[in-house]
Amino acid sequence: MGKEDLELTKEKREKESYRRVLMTWNSAIKNASLYAEDHPMIEQSCQNLHGAVNELLRDKLEISIQHTDAIFVIENQLFIEESIMMYDLLSLLEEIKIDMVTFLPGITTPEIKAFVLEIHKMEKSKLTLHDRKDLSNPHIRAVFLADKNVTYDIHQSRKARFEKIHQTLHEWRQIGETVFDKLIDEQTLPLSELSNPLDKLIELIELDSPSVSIALCGAKTNLHIDHSVHSMVLSIYMGEKIGLDIANLKNLAISALLHDVGRFLLPSDFGTSHEISFGDTDFIQLHPHDGAAYLSGVKGIPPTAVRVALEHHIGYDGLGYPSLSKNHRPHPYSLIVGLADFVSWQTVTDNYYHKPVVPHRLIRSMIKRSGTQFHPFLIKLLVPFLGLYPPGTRVRLTSGEEALSIQANLENIIRPDIAIPDSDGSWRNQSLQDLILTSVGIGRITGYQDLTEYSQEFSPSTKDSE
């Protein structure tokens, strides 16, 4: 069994363990509502939950389970499964305003039973926040959502960081225009001229990736150039996370920048306003082959760039295009760039494939393709970069306040930095990062707002979340 097969097996095993914890938890609470406290069914279901929790705790210091917007987050990883059981448990936790539950090693069945029974009592009696009993015990920690927001001001240096990021991306758009002009008109690639700008970009992504993610959420002005640059940035981020050294990061970056060169070779009438017909789709899907063939004739092009141009639409399961041999496996860079390409195109405005997807829906779309079109490990790497509530997502807090997500939190993907409107129409920056002092969470998504320039005052105009 290969390394990738082992990773997928581990992924499936972990997901099944998460599912078992949630199922047995829900079953225990249901039985508590049906039977007396000393009934064997309650005892058995609590033993089942104890076994499921201990199975996950074998190699962990703790297990933290949170929920938000009808999604469970376990160990900072998203767990989505559309079933009545999941919705029942989510609805209960939202009703009694439990934000997070943490299980610790050494937990016993009696502790779990006491925890489950107390949750049932809270549900049955409709206790207010002030009347609730502390559910925590030596091996279980429970955090409630507060009625009022307690937050921190975001560090003032952020504005300067954003200006630097926007300037760097602007420079790369200009570099991209030069690269593709020379590539198409002269069949040359100025690799030596890209080295220093790449060093600067790689360092910036490594030092402040959450802020970089905001800059990528703005509307694109030059479709093909912006898409190529954005795909490169996303690819560099994933490459850094898997531990590529600087030489390989630059190789990946060049491959990502050039991956869609085949689109530049399409007829000029295939612009952003062109509506594709049935026959056009087959024609457009020739661009990976055409792009790879073109790059192979350009002196100095890295071989991996040619391969990525050919393979970036094949997918993790090999069912994409172009159709290659049955045993062909795409290069790891092709899998990285393929995911980056998808994320960038899904948010492009006025393209000839579809209406742009608001970022919070993009996250769900990515997760649904995990294990098929995209490698599950890469999905795990990229979701925290965007955040479960990507910059620009409008939300309603559990305190009732309206807010706007402005930056992902890599440590806790359901606790983004937010902006809250004041009565005078201005915005104040807040943070939901500290779970101890900040027990207000996000209730639900209400819309999306384009954050083109962070340094400007946020506009009250929004796009509906559909």
Side-chain angles (χ1 to χ4, degrees), residues 101-215:
V101 174
T102 301
F103 297 103
L104 303 172
I107 190 171
T108 64
T109 299
E111 287 175 326
I112 285 181
K113 182 177 179 180
F115 174 67
V116 167
L117 291 175
E118 194 59 40
I119 287 178
H120 167 60
K121 290 176 182 178
M122 290 174 59
E123 177 191 20
K124 185 177 179 180
S125 58
K126 310 295 184 185
L127 297 176
T128 66
L129 180 68
H130 301 292
D131 297 327
R132 291 173 186 148
K133 179 181 177 181
D134 184 7
L135 296 181
S136 301
N137 61 49
H139 299 102
I140 301 177
R141 294 198 301 262
V143 178
F144 287 107
L145 292 170
D147 288 335
K148 293 186 178 180
N149 197 5
V150 181
T151 54
Y152 296 104
D153 287 335
I154 293 176
H155 201 276
Q156 292 298 315
S157 65
R158 177 178 293 170
K159 181 177 179 180
R161 301 204 310 269
F162 273 97
E163 290 175 349
K164 181 179 180 181
I165 290 167
H166 279 293
Q167 178 60 33
T168 302
L169 291 178
H170 175 70
E171 291 171 0
W172 264 101
R173 291 186 185 99
Q174 295 177 322
I175 293 171
E177 290 178 359
T178 301
V179 165
F180 284 105
D181 283 345
K182 290 187 176 181
L183 191 63
I184 302 302
D185 297 338
E186 304 173 16
Q187 284 194 299
T188 60
L189 179 66
L191 280 176
S192 60
E193 298 175 17
L194 299 180
S195 183
N196 288 337
L198 274 176
D199 285 333
K200 180 180 177 181
L201 180 63
I202 289 170
E203 181 182 15
L204 190 64
I205 296 170
E206 181 179 9
L207 293 177
D208 199 4
S209 58
S211 299
V212 174
S213 72
I214 299 177

Side-chain angles (χ1 to χ4, degrees), residues 42 96 217 228 309 316 350 352-353 410 447 452:
I42 295 180
I96 61 179
C217 288
S228 297
Y316 177 61
D350 299 327
Y352 39 66
Y353 284 112
L410 299 186
T452 304

